[in-house]
Amino acid sequence: WTACEGGLNYASDLVRYIRKTHGDYFGIGVAGYPEKHPESATMEEDLRFLKEKVDAGADFIVTQLFFDVPLFLNWVKACRAIGITCPIIPGVMPIQAYASFKKNIVGLSVPQWILDGIEPIKNDDQAIRAFGVEVGIKMTLDLIEGGVCGIHYYTFNLERSTRLILEGAGLVNKTDYIKKNMPWRSSFDEKRKEESVRPIFWANRAKSYISRTDNWDEFPNGRWGDSRSPAFGDLDRYGVYLKYKADEAIQNWGSPNSLQDICKLFVKYCHGETLTLPWSDQALALESGTIRDHLVELNSLGYLTINSQPAVNGAKSDDKVFGWGPKGGYVYQKAYLEFFVSAETLERLKHRITKFPNITYNAINKDGDLHTNTNGCKPNAVTWGVFPGREVVQPTIVELSSFEAWKDEAFALWEQWSRCYPQQSKPRELLSEMAQQWYLVNIVNNDYHETDGIFELFREDVVAAQADQVIHEDIEKLDKVAISAVLSSVVEPVKA
């Protein structure tokens, strides 16, 4: 960080400036570090800096994440001992994935019971989240017993764990919080209160969808109606954005020099080792975690998945993974996959789909070259719910004109990602080439009774890849045997 001339160097400078300029108009919160800021030489020095921020006019402190509650409570005592009297709010981050947990605990004190509990389940995403809720409940209860004035939870758009923690700690009744009425998070915009259906394509980029439809006077009903009448906002007006700036994107997504590097990145996303992709502003959805192994296989084979949902045949509406809508209902889903593939792979896939009568698909490239086995006009409901006293609700669809609007954004994100790297660099050339030549594909298995039916479409690829792996391993073994034989032929005469 280099301040501009006459600018502000530290948070305390900013707090002081706000107070001097605006008086008490703003409430100001500042950050606290129970295990000291990494740039502070000692805890004593870090506490002095914290007190300087408070003395400059801060009203309250929110802490960085921690897992050692006794250590935090002792830190609060140290703050009080040097004259910090404002509220100190502990920041709690529920554990969502093993990889992010290991990354976040660098330099932190973590109780042994947490480390012992997480290691045996590190490859099970659902078990990790459930354990994270247990940890959060215990931390919450210990913090309340320790006399904290409140707790701040870092949800990172994954609010369900926080809700379960609040329930488990007895802070809210299980029926008190608002369960989602739709499979997607409803907007708070008053004019969208009648919105009852969305295309599935923006599932991982909800903000973009809301931005591109904010000029709609009314929203399609559950049957979508004439989907061609409401126009999506132009990309130039609303902009195509990445979650990160260039340096942050490189830090999170690396510098891919080959297709294999990109495949590995997508696999890491499926495993929770990276929490975002250019097409996904948040971690892999809980329901997609139930098909994670299949997604890992597909991404390893070059089917770069950006959206998915498993088949669901009558899950209760209060199901913690699949549930939505009013109590006493049942929800259903058709299996859905959306991914990027090369033109060559698409041709093989199209031929294979002809053997699967229940599967429909749409594929399109940046220039609008469309391939489909649908009639192209009617929307396909891929999520629906049956609830007491209501007609069937069909809130999520696959629909061609919306897909064509989405494809412009999807391919523009390839270009945005490529611009994070220098001109004429290998990553930039690779990503730009894929944006120009690859296809965006969505596939629906219309038989929602088939749990894994959609993945049978890729069985040939999986079997071929497994065979290649066996051959590769056998060759390695033969090489080792040959090397051993050569060494023996050399060593034995020398010994003699």
Side-chain angles (χ1 to χ4, degrees):
W1 165 252
T2 302
C4 62
E5 185 176 350
L8 308 174
N9 286 287
Y10 303 105
S12 55
D13 297 334
L14 178 59
V15 174
R16 196 173 293 110
Y17 172 81
I18 294 172
R19 281 286 173 248
K20 180 180 178 181
T21 308
H22 300 284
D24 292 332
Y25 184 82
F26 291 105
I28 302 175
V30 294
Y33 297 83
E35 301 187 49
K36 85 175 182 61
H37 190 284
E39 294 179 7
S40 292
T42 65
M43 178 58 76
E44 290 73 18
E45 180 184 75
D46 199 58
L47 286 172
R48 287 199 302 272
F49 290 142
L50 180 60
K51 188 172 188 303
E52 184 178 349
K53 289 190 286 189
V54 174
D55 290 344
D59 295 303
F60 62 94
I61 297 166
V62 179
T63 78
Q64 177 61 282
L65 69 94
F66 63 90
F67 291 96
D68 192 328
V69 174
L71 185 148
F72 163 78
L73 296 174
N74 288 331
W75 176 78
V76 172
K77 291 178 182 177
C79 291
R80 301 305 187 210
I82 64 169
I84 297 175
T85 60
C86 69
I88 299 176
I89 304 170
V92 174
M93 183 184 292
I95 300 170
Q96 302 283 1
Y98 180 78
S100 58
F101 168 76
K102 295 294 286 186
K103 179 180 178 181
N104 289 331
I105 64 172
V106 174
L108 297 184
S109 169
V110 181
Q112 192 61 44
W113 68 273
I114 295 179
L115 298 174
D116 292 342
I118 203 169
E119 283 299 323
I121 58 172
K122 62 183 180 181
N123 295 318
D124 186 335
D125 287 354
Q126 292 190 60
I128 288 286
R129 291 188 178 105
F131 180 68
V133 170
E134 293 179 24
V135 173
I137 291 171
K138 177 169 172 48
M139 289 183 65
T140 296
L141 293 174
D142 289 348
L143 287 166
I144 292 172
E145 185 178 349
V148 298
C149 62
I151 300 174
H152 176 83
Y153 293 92
Y154 295 101
T155 63
F156 286 95
N157 292 327
L158 301 169
E159 81 290 343
R160 183 166 294 189
S161 290
T162 298
R163 288 175 172 174
L164 293 174
I165 289 170
L166 296 176
E167 288 179 4
L171 298 177
V172 298
N173 188 287
K174 289 190 177 182
T175 58
D176 279 349
Y177 66 81
I178 300 174
K179 188 164 66 69
K180 59 182 181 179
N181 291 321
M182 294 290 178
W184 27 266
R185 191 194 307 261
S186 299
S187 170
F188 291 115
D189 190 333
E190 182 66 19
K191 75 176 184 178
R192 303 185 80 102
K193 64 182 180 180
E194 301 300 327
E195 184 180 21
S196 61
V197 62
R198 287 184 183 179
I200 196 171
F201 314 121
W202 283 270
N204 295 321
R205 285 179 62 83
K207 289 181 181 179
S208 176
Y209 178 80
I210 291 172
S211 295
R212 295 187 64 185
T213 57
D214 70 349
N215 62 347
W216 288 7
D217 295 325
E218 58 184 60
F219 294 88
N221 60 28
R223 292 173 181 79
W224 192 253
D226 184 359
S227 59
R228 291 164 293 183
S229 56
F232 289 90
D234 294 334
L235 289 179
D236 289 341
R237 175 181 173 187
Y238 295 101
V240 177
Y241 65 91
L242 296 177
K243 187 179 180 68
Y244 304 116
K245 296 178 182 178
D247 57 340
E248 295 172 329
I250 295 172
Q251 181 179 354
N252 282 277
W253 302 327
S255 298
N257 291 306
S258 65
L259 173 58
Q260 187 178 18
D261 290 341
I262 296 177
C263 292
K264 287 179 180 178
L265 172 64
F266 278 70
V267 168
K268 286 175 63 179
Y269 175 76
C270 293
H271 281 303
E273 295 173 18
T274 184
L275 298 180
T276 62
L277 289 173
W279 302 269
S280 303
D281 290 341
Q282 56 198 26
L284 189 71
L286 194 62
E287 65 172 2
S288 290
T290 63
I291 54 174
R292 182 194 62 182
D293 291 345
H294 288 301
L295 297 177
V296 167
E297 281 184 338
L298 292 182
N299 284 286
S300 300
L301 294 169
Y303 296 91
L304 304 179
T305 62
I306 60 172
N307 199 351
S308 62
Q309 69 176 30
V312 175
N313 183 17
K316 288 188 175 182
S317 58
D318 60 357
D319 185 275
K320 293 187 180 300
V321 176
F322 304 110
W324 56 274
K327 288 181 62 176
Y330 291 87
V331 297
Y332 301 80
Q333 292 181 176
K334 296 176 183 177
Y336 173 80
L337 289 172
E338 186 177 345
F339 49 84
F340 292 100
V341 289
S342 66
E344 179 184 0
T345 302
L346 175 62
E347 287 303 313
R348 293 199 305 269
L349 192 62
K350 284 167 53 182
H351 176 72
R352 204 178 299 158
I353 286 175
T354 60
K355 304 174 185 177
F356 292 80
N358 291 322
I359 287 182
T360 52
Y361 80 95
N362 298 293
I364 196 167
N365 68 2
K366 183 180 180 181
D367 295 329
D369 179 34
L370 176 66
H371 303 252
T372 181
N373 65 350
T374 70
N375 60 22
C377 298
K378 296 180 180 179
N380 184 359
V382 292
T383 307
W384 65 99
V386 181
F387 308 103
R390 296 181 61 178
E391 65 178 12
V392 175
V393 182
Q394 303 176 91
T396 312
I397 63 168
V398 169
E399 189 272 331
L400 187 55
S401 63
S402 301
F403 182 56
E404 290 174 334
W406 161 243
K407 70 93 176 170
D408 292 333
E409 183 171 336
F411 283 105
L413 287 166
W414 279 106
E415 295 292 350
Q416 287 292 317
W417 185 15
S418 73
R419 292 171 191 166
C420 295
Y421 305 93
Q423 290 188 3
Q424 298 182 340
S425 66
K426 183 64 176 177
R428 185 161 184 164
E429 291 176 354
L430 173 65
L431 297 173
S432 295
E433 180 182 336
M434 294 181 71
Q436 296 296 328
Q437 299 181 7
W438 279 43
Y439 280 76
L440 176 64
V441 183
N442 67 64
I443 293 180
V444 178
N445 182 8
N446 291 282
D447 187 346
Y448 58 90
H449 293 85
E450 294 183 348
T451 304
D452 294 325
I454 198 169
F455 298 105
E456 288 301 314
L457 182 62
F458 308 95
R459 184 54 49 196
E460 289 182 28
D461 298 309
V462 173
V463 172
Q466 290 173 342
D468 287 344
Q469 180 64 27
V470 170
I471 292 172
H472 179 73
E473 291 175 355
D474 287 344
I475 290 173
E476 283 189 340
K477 289 178 182 177
L478 288 172
D479 286 344
K480 290 178 181 178
V481 170
I483 291 170
S484 177
V486 169
L487 288 175
S488 297
S489 67
V490 172
V491 172
E492 291 302 325
V494 170
K495 283 183 180 178

